[in-house]
Amino acid sequence: MSKELFDAMRQSVIDGDPDLAAELAQKAIDQGIDPVVALNEGFVPGVNYVGEQFGLGEMFLPELVVAGEAMKAAVATLEPEFAKRGTERQILGKVVIGTIEGDIHEIGKTLVATMLSASGFQVYDLGVDVPIMTFVEKAREVNADIIGISALLTTTMVRQKDVIEALQDNNMATKVMVGGAPVTQSWAKEIGAHGYSEDAVGAVAVAKNLMGLA
């Protein structure tokens, strides 16, 4: 029965069906299945499949968004069971993420946050129009491994560099990932960012690499 349930979980993420994903997560809890197993054997393979297909150009942004929503619904359902059992799913690293001050574009940043969370990172999403020192202060507060800074405007992407300089001024070794429409690999290198990705799937790979996991 578990095999059939895990297959259905995987498919619910691929289909981007949050209601079904939550229902299947609850079914796993009712059957006494370890939530860590349900997550890793059922839902994570679905996210991985969608990410692979996106990378191949077989799936597109809308499919990625709804898959992320289904995964969030599953995790939200399983979370109380993690707490009850005194177990925690493996956290790959802590990421503080936001769109830089002066910029209110949200979709890309939110998608990256969702995919990172679905892939096992603990994500603190600061939202949009985030002041430079808010990134720094939150990273210090939660002992973040990575800061992700999104910018969709050429006029605001220069502030990504300001965050990196503020971290240096505060003697913080937090790694920095940057992204957004005008952002390039050469820009990331120029400002001293540790990682860059042009899409959410790539951002997960970059984050894993920064954590020494890839």
Side-chain angles (χ1 to χ4, degrees):
M1 179 58 196
S2 292
K3 172 72 165 62
E4 290 176 14
L5 182 57
F6 293 155
D7 286 346
M9 289 171 169
R10 176 179 179 274
Q11 196 61 44
S12 72
V13 174
I14 294 170
D15 292 341
D17 189 336
D19 291 339
L20 180 58
E23 182 183 319
L24 293 169
Q26 187 58 53
K27 187 178 284 189
I29 292 170
D30 294 342
Q31 291 181 12
I33 295 171
D34 188 317
V36 175
V37 173
L39 199 64
N40 292 336
E41 299 292 325
F43 295 109
V44 169
V47 171
N48 290 343
Y49 176 81
V50 172
E52 288 163 8
Q53 293 303 299
F54 180 80
L56 293 170
E58 298 294 327
M59 284 187 169
F60 303 96
L61 190 60
E63 286 99 327
L64 202 59
V65 171
V66 294
E69 289 303 314
M71 186 68 181
K72 275 194 344 194
V75 170
T77 304
L78 292 170
E79 212 77 71
E81 190 66 14
F82 285 125
K84 193 196 298 185
R85 288 178 175 236
T87 61
E88 295 182 7
R89 66 180 181 131
Q90 183 189 10
I91 299 298
L92 302 183
K94 296 179 182 178
V95 182
V96 169
I97 191 169
T99 303
I100 195 66
E101 188 173 10
D103 201 322
I104 58 170
H105 291 83
E106 187 156 25
I107 293 174
K109 178 271 303 172
T110 301
L111 183 56
V112 170
T114 299
M115 295 302 290
L116 284 170
S117 180
S119 300
F121 286 88
Q122 187 168 350
V123 178
Y124 301 86
D125 188 344
L126 302 179
V128 300
D129 194 20
V130 180
I132 290 154
M133 286 310 297
T134 301
F135 281 104
V136 175
E137 288 158 7
K138 188 65 178 179
R140 182 190 283 120
E141 176 195 329
V142 303
N143 194 25
D145 301 292
I146 299 168
I147 292 176
I149 316 166
S150 175
L152 270 290
L153 303 170
T154 53
T155 51
T156 58
M157 76 177 197
V158 293
R159 294 189 180 128
Q160 292 176 326
K161 182 180 181 181
D162 295 337
V163 176
I164 293 170
E165 291 177 348
L167 287 169
Q168 292 168 346
D169 290 343
N170 284 270
N171 297 312
M172 293 172 64
T174 314
K175 303 272 178 58
V176 175
M177 292 169 50
V178 294
V183 180
T184 62
Q185 182 69 62
S186 60
W187 168 251
K189 185 176 180 181
E190 180 185 328
I191 65 174
H194 303 89
Y196 157 78
S197 177
E198 61 182 4
D199 59 55
V201 174
V204 173
V206 170
K208 286 181 176 178
N209 188 53
L210 291 178
M211 294 302 299
L213 301 170

